[in-house]
Structure formats: structure tokens, C-alpha cells
Amino acid sequence: LAAAAMAIANLHVPDRSLGSGLPSWFWAQNCSSALIYVVPGWYLAKKRPDVAFGWLAIAAGLAHGLAAAGFEYTVSSVVAGHHLPAPWLGVWFSLWGPTVELPVLAVIYALFPDAKRPRGALGALAVLAGVVVTCGVVAGWFDPVLIVDPKSAALGALHNPFAIHSKLVHELDGAATFAPGMIAATAVPVIRWWRAREETRRVLSWLAAVAVLAFVVAAPSASFAGPIGILAAQAVSLVE
């Protein structure tokens, strides 16, 4: 709601990309992703509060909502000239908020449906996948580069106060962690399905199929910045 309200107020702003390659509808994409995660997450958390899946989905949805509202907050503060406090905070949320769904998916892939981690090497692979993608999210918190090639001095003046000025931190915030982490995460439900028998295999069939389909949708577009990459991320959310 906050993102939608600020987006409407910012409709008169001619350039709402923040110079980052993000489209003006970035807020709408993240709002829809927030609903995609929060609605079923709320239902699951209400029905089975003892199981983590619902709460994880809610966390991913809230992170998308923060990204949407944060993006429009920075637009309103810097581009629209309203000079709101801490304008860096909005673009900071929009930097890492959409990526929270990746460790959430990695955990769901590993634990569904009985919330138990697989044993042996497969369990280790599941943990590794979750750790790798989580490192990517955490790197986003400390990434010194909030906006790549800002189009104005005001945007260029926005700095991350939590920044760790290291090239490694900046490189970890992106494909260096998300791509290998999600490849490993996708392999987990496929291997689990392959090893399973009877009822467990039937239960895992849809998860393995959806995980592979989501990866196939996302992988070709992962190298594209801007609208194509964002639409691919949205497609993955819809598939999941």
C-alpha cells in the first residue's frame, strides 16, 4: 500500500529509474511478488504455525514489499525533490529485498514436505545451497555500490552507511552467489524425487518439476539487466 501510494504520487516524475536500469514499474513487480508470497504464506502460517514454510514465504513477501516501497521512497526524495530523510534507505531496500526469496526457495526445496533435512551428501548440498544464496543476500546489505552509473549528483551522493568497501563484497552481491546457489538448490528436489518411492515420490513430483521449470525460465534471462531480468524474476515467482 505504501509503495502504491508513493508510486501514484510520483507519476509526474519523468525519469523514475534512479539511473540503475530499473524500470518505472519496479514497484508494481515487487508488490505483485509480495502478494504471491504473503497470501499463501499467511494461509500456511495460520494452518500450520509450527512449520516454517509459511513464515518463510511471509518473510520473502515482506522483503519484496520493502523493495517496492523503498524504490518509490528514494524516487520521491531525490528525483521528485521532496528531500525526505535517509533517501539511501529506500534504494538499499530495493537492492537486496527481491533476493530474499532465493534462500527461502532453497530451504523449501530442501525441507518440503516433512520439514526434515535430507541425510548424507544431499543434506550437505542443501545446506551449501542455502548458505551460498544467503551470502548473496547479506552481501547486498554491505554492498558499497547502491546505484550503478547514477544520472545525477544527488543520486551519486547516496551511500550505503553499512558498506564494506571491498570488491569481493560487491561481486558476491549477484550472479557469483545466486547462480551456483540456485543450481545446487534446484538439484536437491530433483535428486530427492529420483530417490523417493511411491507416495513420497508423488508428493515431490510437482516440486521437482516446478523447480526445474523455474530455473529454465530464469537461467536464460539471468545475464540481462533491466526489464528483461526483472520480468524473468517475476516469472519465477509466478511459477513457484
Side-chain angles (χ1 to χ4, degrees), residues 178-188 215:
F178 298 143
M182 290 312 295
I183 290 172
T186 302
V188 171
F215 180 78

Side-chain angles (χ1 to χ4, degrees), residues 19 25 46 58 107 125 222:
W25 42 264
K46 182 179 179 182
I58 288 173
V107 171
L125 179 64

Side-chain angles (χ1 to χ4, degrees), residues 110-131:
L111 302 183
F112 184 86
D114 56 7
K116 295 180 180 179
R117 182 170 64 89
R119 296 179 181 178
L122 187 59
L125 179 64
V127 171
L128 179 63
V131 169

Side-chain angles (χ1 to χ4, degrees), residues 181-224:
M182 290 312 295
I183 290 172
T186 302
V188 171
V190 175
I191 297 173
R192 291 177 64 208
W193 170 83
W194 182 262
R195 293 178 175 179
R197 295 292 182 268
E198 299 177 354
E199 182 62 27
T200 303
R201 190 168 193 175
R202 285 193 292 271
V203 171
L204 290 173
S205 293
W206 72 269
L207 180 65
V210 166
V212 172
L213 179 59
F215 180 78
V216 169
V217 169
S221 302
S223 59
F224 292 97

Side-chain angles (χ1 to χ4, degrees), residues 8 28 33 73 81 104 134 139 144 170 174-175 223 226:
I8 292 171
S33 291
Y73 180 87
V104 166
T134 300
H170 179 61
S223 59

Side-chain angles (χ1 to χ4, degrees), residues 28-42 57 60-62 64-65:
Q29 181 265 328
N30 276 278
C31 283
S32 60
S33 291
L35 291 175
I36 289 170
Y37 280 100
V38 167
V39 172
W42 170 82
L62 290 177
H64 275 292

